[in-house]
Amino acid sequence: MTPDRWIVTIAGIGLVAFIIWFFWLKRSTGARATETSGGYQEAMILVKGGYTPDTIVVRSGRPVRLNFRREETASCSDKVIFPDFQKSADLPTGETVAVELMPKEPGEFGFSCPMGMFRGRLVVE
Amino acid sequence: MNMRTEAAIPDSQSGGLPTGRESITLRIGGMTCAHCPPAIEKAVREVTGVKTVSVNLATQTAKVGYDPAQAKVSEILRAIRSVGYAVGTATMRIPIKNMHCTSCATRVELALKMTPGVIAARASLAPNAVDIEYQPERTDFQELRRSIESSGYRLAEPKVKPTDETLDPAEAANEQEYRSLMRKFWIAAVISLPVMAFSYPDLIPGLRDWMPMGSDTRRIVWALLGVLSLPVLLWSGSQFFVGMWDALKHRAANMHTLIAIGITAAFLYSVVAVAWPGIFPDMALAEVFWDVTDVVVALVVLGLALEIKAKGRTSQAIKKLIGLQAKTARVVRDGKEIDLPVEEVLVNDTVIVRPGEKIPVDGKVSVGSSAVDESMITGESMPVEKQTGDEVIGGTLNKTGSFRFTATKVGKDTALASIIRMVKDAQGSKAPIQRVVDTVSGYFVPAVMIVAILAALVWYDFGPEPRLIYATVILVTTLIIACPCALGLATPTSLTVGIGKGAENGILIRSGDALQAAEKLDAVILDKTGTITKGEPALTDVVVTPGHEENAVLRLTASLERGSEHPLASAIVKGAEARKIELADAEGFAAIPGHGVSGRIDGHDVLFGNAKLLRDRGVPADALLPQWERLANEGKTPMYVAVDGRAAGLIAVADTVKPDSRAAIEILKGLGIEVVMLTGDNERTGRAIAREVGIDRVLAEVLPDDKAHEVQKLQLEGKSVGMVGDGVNDAPALAQADVGFAIGTGTDVAIEASDVTLIKGSLMGVVTAIEISRATMRNVRQNLVGAFGYNALGIPVAAGVLYPFIGLLLSPLIAAAAMAFSSVTVVTNANRLRFFQPRRTGS
């Protein structure tokens, strides 16, 4: 192999390694929902290219209110779905939409847009 | 009437309240039973500061004495709502113009709070609106508007925005998005044409001579093309970069990432080729790919625009439902007829409906009669006759007569609002089949990027010359042909159309799970009473002894039974009325419990009841016994009639089969589904009905509590079992079944235990539900096979796998077209489901 081939090959493999590390080997610790006087565990989630924060930590047995605010117009994210809770909500751009859930048992419950491009987790302790 | 409640507080006390105490009377909705008042009282008493509370079931009110220093009205209201009752307040959101500062908001709030009847007002700057909670019997929209205007602010729009279930904003946003994408497409398309022509001068004879390879003319023209392409990249293609960047912040990748990298790679290569052609070892390598950038942007943007349009069509069913909601209602208040926005109609209001008008909310007819077209809710095309006491459904169309009705459900409690909510939730739910897709799509985009890089490396290292160009084209083509959107759209679009189609036919499918499960049913258990049969007895046979005439015997019996409250009595009276027999008045009517009734009509002594009654009175009736046995064997309930001490005949009543039950059962069997009948009645009655409708397997004498057990037994045979029954008595069995079909009636649509609710009480609904489920799941599979297949074939071909064998290499332009239209194809295929037609009986 000629030197230019070596350089390009090494660069390409390095790029592949970077993609694997960047997209697949991420760990997010998550944000803990704050408790309100009304007994709700509340968290604000920004919907823009993804969910920020994408991991919400709550305690079981108490109602959870997640306030989604969508600040983009891409059609994929116009809805959020909690398959484990059989719940979904429309997210009009620029409006804050509250989704209320009652996690009874500890565990990890995913939520996503209908196409599954945006994903988040609700961690119930 | 609940005596305990009444006794709790003597009325005199409310007159002489001690200081520090106020009293308020609240109207409460949803109180139907005697145990409701104690539940409300208990909840209200737990509010600190509440001294006394008395709930009156008859007037549907609660009188609460409280200390205003400790308790707020809003807390009391919340307590009542927390135990599940609607309290007589309404909420309204009014948008306000030019409310910019916190003090402005406070001013508006204060003005409203001073208005009598307003319980709470909260103004916020973010949506620039005020949310008002008020007692509609004390104030109305006009009053609230005056209060707001008195504080110096104006309403942003004259019309009141309904509090929920409006699709308009989302639709408007979609429309705007569509127009913006189309603008981007046209710019990109117009620029693409000259760019394409001048990018391949060697193919066009005139241009080849005018701008030969390596000439300055060619460099200058290409540089100009680059400048021309810049707006396409940065403006038309802007959403790809924004989308990529937003996702990258979350360390995620999506379709935008692929397109953005692809078009940037093509663009940068071209920039280098024009600016520093010298660095390429061969002049032929100094090619430009402006056309790739422009055409890819144009096609993908067009694809996105078409996708938005097509996706909008998938939710047409729900738009139709939302469009059914009436805007105004004519209500009687204080003896006057007034037109009100439908949001202000309250439970117990009297509403007037004229011919051709929409019925605004759910209720019970109080005066008048009419025919009502309920097809939009129930799917039943024949208009339904409505008389005093009948339920009417909000959103349906009054055809012939005027009537008044008492509102029973308003706002978000109406059948229509529940249907809309259920359909929306169901459309947003996921079918289990989607789980596979979700797992794949999580890895899809980075995987495509890796494949593209590796393919480009292989082409660079081992490919033919010019290697650099081939590697670049391969990289760009592979990135662009991959279409994660087609995968992601495959299931949800079909589900949306399928569930919407169900709603159009009066079938509410609760979730994607239910839809998928309904496809695989092996057996369906039908509850007899109310499901196969009408659930109410009707007159079926009149048998007379020689010397008596049928209609005369029926007339005497019906006249006698008119005084009875027995459920069978009304069947006989209705039967007589159907034969246009005029009834007489009975004298000396007496009911003999466990035996029957007796009385005197037109001078004849009439006895009506069982064999025991006749025996006790010494009337011989042995001659009628064979007839009695024949009728009993047919599953009917025959009873003896005696006139003036002699047996006159038999009158039989029975629960009759719904007209289309037989046809529906036949179709179910034709679909390969085993049909089983379940009944609490005895074997003989059950068999008789089963024979009539063509069911072979009967589970008779099943106690109500054992129904779920019977479902389970069938499941243990390894079958996937559907259960059809009413939502109340059969709830455990419906929940146990793989798919529970609840037969709904009238406005009661939100049946919790069921997976599927059939608004129209016909068994054809079960057939339609199963057929919709089969059609939808077939559509989902087509979409998934198409989307997976497209990517599984397209990506390797784009990577150049076929080149060594047949020399096939895709152009990035073809890849862009394929990618753009793959997702449009998926959505279009889902839209085909809109043409699904339910079977009609008799066809």
Side-chain angles (χ1 to χ4, degrees), chain B residues 339-374:
Chain B
D339 281 328
L340 283 180
V342 72
E343 296 83 40
E344 292 193 39
V345 179
L346 295 170
V347 171
N348 288 336
D349 268 342
T350 298
V351 184
I352 302 170
V353 191
R354 303 211 173 114
E357 282 182 345
K358 242 184 221 172
I359 295 166
V361 296
D362 295 351
K364 265 204 170 81
V365 177
S366 53
V367 183
S369 66
S370 180
V372 175
D373 177 6
E374 293 187 340

Side-chain angles (χ1 to χ4, degrees), chain A residues 4-5 8-9 12 15 19-24 26 48-49 51-52 73 75 81 86 90 112 114-115 117 119, chain B residues 177 246-248 250-253 311 428 430 434 438 441-443 446 450 453 457 460-461 467 488 511 513:
Chain A
D4 65 301
R5 286 190 167 94
V8 169
T9 307
L15 207 54
I19 290 171
I20 292 172
W21 170 79
F22 186 82
F23 292 113
W24 291 337
K26 62 174 173 183
K48 198 180 176 198
Y51 299 115
T52 314
T73 53
S75 64
I81 299 177
Q86 296 268 352
D90 284 330
S112 67
M115 290 170 53
M117 302 306 295
R119 285 144 190 280
Chain B
E177 179 84 2
D246 286 338
L248 281 183
H250 296 91
R251 295 178 68 165
K311 264 174 84 182
K430 281 188 177 179
Q434 172 103 15
D438 281 352
S441 64
Y443 295 96
I450 291 170
I453 291 170
L457 279 187
Y460 189 82
D461 291 347
R467 292 176 291 134
S511 65
D513 287 295

Side-chain angles (χ1 to χ4, degrees), chain A residues 82-85 103-111 120-124:
Chain A
F82 291 81
D84 301 305
F85 295 90
K104 293 201 178 95
E105 275 155 35
E108 273 196 28
F109 305 98
F111 56 92
R121 286 182 305 149
L122 186 71
V123 179
V124 181

Side-chain angles (χ1 to χ4, degrees), chain B residues 105 140 186 188 265 309 422 434 548 648 650 671 724 787 802:
Chain B
D140 61 8
W186 282 116
K309 270 278 133 128
M422 278 173 70
Q434 172 103 15
H548 284 95
L650 289 169
L671 292 173
V724 190
L802 290 181

Side-chain angles (χ1 to χ4, degrees), chain B residues 181-363:
Chain B
L181 284 171
M182 282 315 275
R183 263 199 308 275
K184 289 174 172 175
F185 161 70
W186 282 116
I187 296 289
V190 166
I191 293 177
S192 293
L193 291 176
V195 170
M196 280 240 280
F198 287 99
S199 292
Y200 301 100
D202 296 335
L203 301 179
I204 302 162
L207 287 179
R208 186 172 47 207
D209 304 332
W210 178 63
M211 43 185 283
M213 195 190 288
S215 69
D216 280 346
T217 326
R218 181 174 279 203
R219 249 187 99 183
I220 291 165
V221 170
W222 278 359
L224 286 175
L225 293 184
V227 173
L228 210 55
S229 301
L230 206 57
V232 176
L233 182 76
L234 295 182
W235 184 71
S236 292
S238 58
Q239 73 269 16
F240 303 126
F241 295 101
V242 173
M244 173 174 77
W245 179 243
D246 286 338
L248 281 183
K249 282 192 290 196
H250 296 91
R251 295 178 68 165
N254 53 30
M255 174 206 84
H256 298 304
T257 318
L258 296 177
I259 304 292
I261 296 177
I263 56 178
T264 313
F267 196 89
L268 287 182
Y269 187 101
S270 315
V271 170
V272 174
V274 171
W276 303 282
I279 68 164
F280 292 94
D282 183 348
M283 212 46 219
L285 286 181
E287 275 260 24
V288 289
F289 295 110
W290 309 124
D291 57 320
V292 173
T293 306
D294 298 349
V295 175
V296 168
V297 168
L299 288 174
V300 177
V301 163
L302 177 66
L304 287 178
L306 295 179
E307 189 187 308
I308 285 183
K309 270 278 133 128
K311 264 174 84 182
R313 275 197 291 279
T314 61
S315 50
Q316 221 171 37
I318 197 127
K319 274 179 223 157
K320 254 192 234 166
L321 286 173
I322 289 168
L324 290 179
Q325 288 171 324
K327 303 269 181 297
T328 61
R330 188 168 303 118
V331 173
V332 182
R333 289 248 174 104
D334 299 329
K336 278 183 298 201
E337 288 181 22
I338 47 169
D339 281 328
L340 283 180
V342 72
E343 296 83 40
E344 292 193 39
V345 179
L346 295 170
V347 171
N348 288 336
D349 268 342
T350 298
V351 184
I352 302 170
V353 191
R354 303 211 173 114
E357 282 182 345
K358 242 184 221 172
I359 295 166
V361 296
D362 295 351

